[in-house]
Amino acid sequence: MALKAVHVSDVPNLDQVQENATFSLCSTHFSKEVEFNRVAYSIPKFLVIGHRGHGKNKFQTTDRRMEAIKENSIMSFNAAAKYPLDFIEFDVQVTKDGCPVIFHDDVILSVDNLVKQGTVAEKRVTDLTLSEFLSHGTQRNTSVIGKALFRKTKDGKIVKWEVEEDDSLCTLQDAFQLVKPSLGFNIELKFDDHTVYHQDHLIESLHSVLNVVFECANDRPIIFSSFQPDAALLVGKLQNKYPVFFLTDAGTRLYDDVRRNSLEEAVKVCLQGGLQGIVSHAKGVFANPSSVIKIKDAKLSLVTYGELNNVAEAVHMQHLMGIDGVIVDFVQEITEVVSDMIFRRTKVEDEEELDPLPKFSQKELSFLLRLIPELIRL
């Protein structure tokens, strides 16, 4: 299934979805309601969510943890499952022939000898068939050599994608079948930031994902999330079993679609579409700490992502601020922090009780919340 780019003016509003669109596209598991009906989603504890499983891969870094295990792989998911995580987060795209696969980048970089010997070619994941997608990287069949994978760094340099423990690319169905069933899945519905999608193509892509989820999820906890506002709204409209969170950079990057540019806009999207929560860049929350109260007043859950969440003190501060959870790369270290620092057990008269330490007075907490935005700007 190829997703076509169209002009903004050609895209209908969500309220133009036909009355029978949901009914005709979805199985009986999916919502047949046309109107958005928000069901509050309460997170019972402070969540720790493994980013792309055991953590993302980052190149040109001195931190070997970022190059330990291939991100978004079954190996990474099962490595994360060894720690007391609540969820793992991963990115799902749909191939040209309609199969949901797990991969973060919009494009795959690999050597294409058909173009020129040793040339690194760029191909969109959504323009590949499933077999073409799976032909890249380490192969499950050890007698087959896959196409070497490369990645582009922030400065535009193309480097070979090498990790200490490699694994093959996988599908969403693989994840359901091969990962510990009690581990929750935060499924990020991935779309290209620079493409405007026609509603019909979004629905077709989402329907492919939902079919796999409803067939394979069983009792596994699921959260959907997306940076694409219309995709987030539609997945909340197409089903009402699982919560949907809107992902936002919270002003750390700006887009043509204003809905993506602030926490205030994110709240509007959630309330408009009956979504259950927001996943925000941690820097955006620290730069605007008063937004946490507004989000909570709107009865929305709030989770954060970003490299700040690999810093123990930043995680603890977010817990004190009332944030519901963090998406992290350093799974072992941060789960230990949450266990030891936030839920440290102390013995009181031979009885164990949960004691959130350290404790701050309201005055001290207010000072820290005023100070943090200034530190973020440095």
Side-chain angles (χ1 to χ4, degrees), residues 288-317:
N288 185 15
S290 62
S291 62
V292 177
I293 297 173
K294 296 175 183 177
I295 291 168
K296 293 299 178 179
D297 286 345
K299 301 293 190 292
L300 296 169
S301 298
L302 177 60
V303 174
T304 67
Y305 71 94
E307 293 190 9
L308 268 177
N309 288 352
N310 297 326
V311 179
E313 292 78 7
V315 171
H316 193 107
M317 191 66 207

Side-chain angles (χ1 to χ4, degrees), residues 309-373:
N309 288 352
N310 297 326
V311 179
E313 292 78 7
V315 171
H316 193 107
M317 191 66 207
Q318 291 179 72
H319 175 257
L320 294 174
M321 292 167 67
I323 290 168
D324 296 299
V326 288
I327 298 174
V328 306
D329 295 303
F330 299 159
V331 168
Q332 178 178 355
E333 291 80 356
I334 299 303
T335 52
E336 289 175 358
V337 165
V338 171
S339 296
D340 297 340
M341 191 166 69
I342 295 177
F343 300 119
R344 191 171 75 188
R345 292 185 178 273
T346 58
K347 288 191 175 182
V348 179
E349 296 180 355
D350 296 325
E351 292 184 1
E352 288 189 342
E353 64 177 23
L354 294 179
D355 184 24
L357 296 175
K359 295 179 179 178
F360 293 94
S361 69
Q362 190 58 46
K363 185 176 181 180
E364 290 170 328
L365 187 56
S366 297
F367 169 74
L368 287 171
L369 292 178
R370 290 195 303 272
L371 177 63
I372 286 173

Side-chain angles (χ1 to χ4, degrees), residues 133-281:
F133 172 77
L134 294 177
S135 70
H136 294 83
T138 298
Q139 299 293 294
R140 294 181 185 177
N141 182 348
T142 54
S143 64
V144 176
I145 299 176
K147 299 175 183 176
L149 286 171
F150 293 79
R151 231 174 181 184
K152 190 177 291 185
T153 62
K154 285 187 176 181
D155 59 6
K157 183 180 179 181
I158 294 177
V159 297
K160 193 171 183 180
W161 193 341
E162 294 181 315
V163 292
E164 293 177 13
E165 296 185 75
D166 209 345
D167 197 14
S168 57
L169 301 180
C170 65
T171 67
L172 178 59
Q173 185 172 346
D174 290 335
F176 277 113
Q177 293 175 344
L178 301 174
V179 177
K180 181 180 175 182
S182 60
L183 184 61
F185 284 176
N186 172 192
I187 300 174
E188 180 185 335
L189 304 163
K190 187 80 175 177
F191 296 93
D192 186 352
D193 289 336
H194 307 292
T195 300
V196 178
Y197 295 94
H198 194 282
Q199 180 180 277
D200 290 345
H201 293 288
L202 287 175
I203 291 175
E204 186 178 356
S205 180
L206 295 173
H207 189 230
S208 297
V209 175
L210 289 171
N211 277 336
V212 174
V213 171
F214 278 103
E215 181 180 343
C216 302
N218 296 318
D219 296 327
R220 188 188 298 273
I222 302 289
I223 295 173
F224 289 112
S225 62
S226 185
F227 282 104
Q228 219 288 347
D230 293 328
L233 292 169
L234 278 168
V235 77
K237 194 169 188 176
L238 292 171
Q239 61 82 42
N240 56 18
K241 181 175 182 180
Y242 300 112
V244 182
F245 284 30
F246 180 46
L247 270 158
T248 178
D249 292 284
T252 59
R253 291 178 61 189
L254 296 179
Y255 300 88
D256 292 337
D257 190 335
V258 296
R259 295 175 296 177
R260 299 188 60 179
N261 290 341
S262 69
L263 284 167
E264 291 76 15
E265 289 294 329
V267 170
K268 290 179 185 178
V269 170
C270 291
L271 296 182
Q272 172 202 346
L275 308 187
Q276 284 71 39
I278 294 170
V279 182
S280 171
H281 198 301

